[in-house]
Every structure is written in C-alpha cells, then in structure tokens.
Amino acid sequence: MIRQRGNPVFDTASERSARADDRQSLRGRFEAVRRESEALAANLSPEDQAIQSMPDVSPTKWHLAHTSWFFETFLLEPLDPGYRTFDPAFAYLFNSYYDAVGPRHPRPERGLLSRPTIDTIGAYRDHVTAAMLRLADQADDPVWRQASPLVELGIHHEQQHQELMLMDIKHVFSVNPLLPAYHAPRPYAVPSGGPARGWTEFAGGLHEIGHDFGRGGTAFAFDNEGPRHKVWLEPFRLASHPATCGDYLEFVVEGGYRRPEFWLSDGWATVRQQDWEAPLYWRREDGEWRIFTLAGERRVESAEPVCHVSFYEADAFARWAGRRLPTEAEWEHAAAGMPLHGNLADSRHFHPCPDAPAATDGELRQMIGDVWEWTASPYVAYPRFRPVAGAIGEYNGKFMSNQMVLRGGAAVTPADHMRITYRNFFPPSARWAFSGLRLAEDL
Ligand SMILES: [Fe+2]
C-alpha cells in the first residue's frame, strides 16, 4: 500500500466502489495510451527514430522518453516513496521546457542523442509504466486523489506527443530523397462532382465559450480552455467545408505567392525569406502538383482539405478569396454540441480526406478532424485564467504570446483527446502541423 500520512477518510461503501471504478477506468486508459505510443513507433527503424530534421522536430525516441519522464517527474517521484528513478541523467535529457524542474538539454540538439539507445528507452518506458500501474493498484485513497488529476494530465500529454510523433516523422521522411512511407495508404471515398458546399449563418449576440471547470463535472480540459466566459458575436457565416486543395490551387495559380497585397507584412517577409510557393509538402513535377503524405508521395487530390499551411498562408488565402478567417469564439459557438466524430487518428488515414458525399446544403462538415483550422484569434488567456501553482503551471500559460489559435483537431489527433473547447496553438509561420482553414464572412 502506498500511503499518505494523515487522518483516515470516512466514506460509504458506494462511494468507495465508485472510486474503485474510476481508478480502474483511468488505469485502463493509461495502459492503452502507453501502448498506442509504442504502436506508432513500431513502424520505424532505430535510425528513423533518432533523426531531428529541423529544430521544431523531435526524434521519435525522444518523444517516447519524454512522455515517460513526465509521469516519473510529476507523479512517481513526488507521490511514491518506494519509486526508484530509472536514470538520474534523464531528468536533464528529457525535460522539455519546465524551468521549475531544473536545467535541460537544448531542444535543437535532441537529434544528437545516439544514446540512450531505443532499447534503453524501451526499458525506461516499461519501468515507468509498471511503476504507474503499481501506484494505481496500491495507492491509498488520499494519495490517489492527488495522483488521479495528474494521471489524467499525463495521458493527455502523451496523446499530444502521439500527434507530434506523426507530424515529426512526416517531416523527417520528407527530407529524405527516397520519400519513405510511414504506412500503407487506406482507401477512402472520393465524392463524384464534389460535396454540396455552402454557408451556415449565425445571428450573433451574447454567447458563452470555454470549459466550465466549476460545473463541468470531472471532464478533463487543459487549463487554457477555461474559464467559461461571455463573448459578443456580430452576425457571421461559416463555410460548410474547410478550404480544399482545389480551392488553394486557384490561389497558387493566380499568383497568390507573388502578390504582396494579400499578405500581412510579416507573412510577406516570410514568403520571400523562405521562398514559399505552395503549402509545405507540395512539389511541382512535369506541370503536376504532387504532395508528400505519411503514405508516401502522390498527386494532389483537389477535393481534400488543404493542409500544412501557416497562419500567414491561411490569412492570405482568405483575403484573396474576399473573406476572412473565423475567430475562435465564432468557431466554438458554431461547433457547440457537435458530436466529436471525424477523421481523427483512430481512422488511421493520418491525412485529411475529401468529405463523404452525404452532405446537405450548408451543413457544417469536417469541423472535427481532418485539419486543424487556423483562426484569426491570438493565443491569449481567457478572462480570469490562472495557471495552476508549481511546475505544472508551465504547461500552457507561459506560451501565451506570438502564437495563433487553431481549432477542431486533425487526422493525426487521437480521437478521445478532442474537445470542442480545445485550443491548439502555433506561431503564425509554422506549417508542419496538420493545419488548414475554413472561411468566414461578416453578415
Ligand atoms: Fe511534453
């Protein structure tokens, strides 16, 4: 038994049995998430898992170790007096950005770590997983009450890294002239004549967005998703679908990347500096646009949502189209109550797909999954936001400058990781995330 010192807690048999069910369910989800990370890495050779192809990318084996470090640092070491640290050197190697925890290895140098090997990292994972399961089985109730919110956070943290593993290995493979495929392509339906595309109108007015930590029960959300608060919306409409590759190709062909009038000043400077002429992973060969995917390279499919565009490109495309990007409040209001179904990572496409042909006119489609949708909203704190005390407070709050919000999840986002209130964020020039856009317009 892992015990906390202090007074015993008196409770009823039914409360005890409900808590035991919650504990078993969290334990099961923890195990499943650990296995999923290992399954995602199983396609990769040791050489694949060691490469860092740009500073934003982390090697696969670093993700596998860092997600274990998170459980070790924030749960096992503080809460389990019998826990044996696997290797004290890992605190330096696998701390990502937590200043309160101590110094860390520089992020751009993660690709230089030929040691520890993937076998040692596998043993580290097994060690941490076994200790976490022991904690779940043996901790007394007061310890488990402290542990369970952190287990939940650790599960969602590892799911974020599962998405990063797919983003990162895609970039690693894209810079290899052999253009290796991560997995075999899965078939999907291509609609004949294209889906029925239109607009959905919203009256605007006073609405609420964000996660309600007070009345939201025990449902998990990251701290940055709340508090729930009021917003005022002017009347607007949203496109029924994300912008497609076909739409985006028109922008490319009409000289979108050569005409400064469509671009924000910083965006135009980035286009010229980086020589952008199309989304990341697009390449022109013999007059045909080709796209690199996790299933290898193929021609661009015009009906699928455009992906791997930066905020600058999404914004320029919207201006070229005579429209704008939605704010995150507009997006969340429009998505409220939608089922959390879509082309997410469990569909195993790992790429946005064309919409299925069943759409009715103007119905909002593909809000969940396929591509993260850039919004016009900067990533800043909601009113009355307070990060939690201690190192865990560094999880989200300290990144609230110079980034833009994306909504809705993508084809590489774990399905049970998604929420309508989920706020993803990246710098406006980033495009290695599975990021696309949906147009909006004032009424
Ligand atoms: Fe992390």
Side-chain angles (χ1 to χ4, degrees):
M1 193 78 161
I2 297 165
R3 289 187 190 283
Q4 188 185 54
R5 280 179 222 95
N7 296 327
V9 175
F10 296 98
D11 53 16
T12 64
S14 66
E15 281 170 347
R16 276 199 302 276
S17 114
R19 278 205 309 276
D21 287 352
D22 288 350
R23 193 190 286 222
Q24 279 312 306
S25 134
L26 197 54
R27 183 192 195 281
R29 284 173 46 228
F30 166 79
E31 263 193 300
V33 165
R34 298 290 283 173
R35 274 199 304 271
E36 171 70 0
S37 302
E38 287 144 23
L40 289 172
N43 290 358
L44 302 171
S45 72
E47 293 86 350
D48 295 334
Q49 294 193 43
I51 293 187
Q52 179 171 33
S53 49
M54 65 164 172
D56 284 335
V57 161
S58 298
T60 306
K61 70 178 201 179
W62 187 91
H63 288 296
L64 292 173
H66 162 73
T67 45
S68 305
W69 168 87
F70 190 93
F71 286 113
E72 182 175 67
T73 304
F74 295 117
L75 273 138
L76 295 169
E77 288 175 343
L79 293 179
D80 181 353
Y83 178 71
R84 178 181 58 82
T85 298
F86 183 82
D87 183 336
F90 287 8
Y92 178 78
L93 290 182
F94 300 122
N95 176 3
S96 52
Y97 54 65
Y98 296 87
D99 290 315
V101 172
R104 58 183 181 271
H105 187 66
R107 179 177 177 146
E109 296 176 18
R110 291 174 185 167
L112 304 180
L113 300 173
S114 61
R115 310 294 174 91
T117 63
I118 63 163
D119 288 344
T120 305
I121 287 171
Y124 180 38
R125 285 187 67 82
D126 291 346
H127 175 85
V128 167
T129 300
M132 285 293 299
L133 295 177
R134 206 163 47 240
L135 184 76
D137 292 338
Q138 298 180 4
D140 64 14
D141 278 348
V143 170
W144 187 250
R145 259 198 297 279
Q146 272 182 278
S148 59
L150 293 165
V151 178
E152 189 75 62
L153 181 65
I155 286 172
H156 284 271
H157 171 254
E158 184 142 353
Q159 289 183 310
Q160 286 185 309
H161 278 274
Q162 288 168 359
E163 175 161 350
L164 284 163
M165 283 165 67
L166 292 165
M167 286 161 56
D168 290 358
I169 199 65
K170 182 170 183 176
H171 192 266
V172 165
F173 281 168
S174 77
V175 299
N176 183 330
L178 297 177
L179 295 176
Y182 168 79
H183 72 147
R186 294 199 60 182
Y188 56 81
V190 177
S192 56
R197 302 210 292 169
W199 295 85
T200 299
E201 298 194 352
F202 296 87
L206 191 62
H207 296 284
E208 287 195 347
I209 64 161
H211 182 80
D212 187 344
F213 288 101
R215 284 172 297 168
T218 55
F220 175 83
F222 287 118
D223 58 356
N224 63 4
E225 294 169 56
R228 192 161 178 82
H229 61 281
K230 293 183 181 62
V231 291
W232 179 262
L233 302 179
E234 296 297 328
F236 69 101
R237 60 182 191 164
L238 273 191
S240 60
H241 290 76
T244 63
C245 288
D247 299 332
Y248 201 84
L249 194 53
E250 286 182 45
F251 169 68
V252 173
V253 169
E254 288 193 15
Y257 283 85
R258 297 190 300 275
R259 295 171 59 182
E261 64 265 34
F262 302 131
W263 296 81
L264 292 167
S265 173
D266 287 347
W268 183 242
T270 309
V271 166
R272 288 192 301 169
Q273 190 188 9
Q274 308 280 330
D275 289 328
W276 286 350
E277 55 168 11
L280 181 63
Y281 303 132
W282 283 32
R283 184 170 72 89
R284 195 166 31 191
E285 187 179 73
D286 300 331
E288 179 187 71
W289 282 100
R290 298 183 62 76
I291 184 170
F292 180 70
T293 76
L294 281 165
E297 198 189 54
R298 59 165 167 75
R299 67 176 180 77
V300 167
E301 166 58 64
S302 65
E304 75 188 24
V306 67
C307 191
H308 297 295
V309 290
S310 62
F311 168 81
Y312 293 138
E313 290 162 294
D315 176 81
F317 170 83
R319 196 164 294 113
W320 166 82
R323 307 265 165 45
R324 63 172 173 83
L325 297 177
T327 65
E328 65 170 323
E330 288 171 337
W331 192 99
E332 185 171 323
H333 172 60
M338 277 187 181
L340 293 169
H341 299 151
N343 175 18
L344 294 155
D346 59 332
S347 73
R348 287 308 201 239
H349 289 296
F350 298 150
H351 195 78
C353 293
D355 187 24
T360 55
D361 272 359
E363 179 193 1
L364 288 177
R365 304 282 292 181
Q366 299 175 291
M367 291 284 279
I368 304 299
D370 288 294
V371 288
W372 286 102
E373 298 177 15
W374 283 108
T375 71
S377 300
Y379 177 54
V380 292
Y382 283 164
R384 299 192 177 86
F385 167 77
R386 294 280 180 279
V388 295
I392 282 292
E394 295 185 47
Y395 199 108
N396 282 310
K398 72 179 188 180
F399 300 108
M400 289 174 170
S401 71
N402 302 322
Q403 314 217 44
M404 301 300 285
V405 172
L406 303 94
R407 292 303 197 106
V412 286
T413 308
D416 58 355
H417 181 61
M418 220 23 244
R419 288 174 299 283
I420 296 293
T421 55
Y422 199 115
R423 308 174 78 197
N424 199 356
F425 52 90
F426 279 101
S429 60
R431 53 186 203 162
W432 98 111
F434 282 65
S435 47
L437 75 134
R438 178 184 304 264
L439 293 174
E441 190 168 33
D442 298 321
L443 287 176

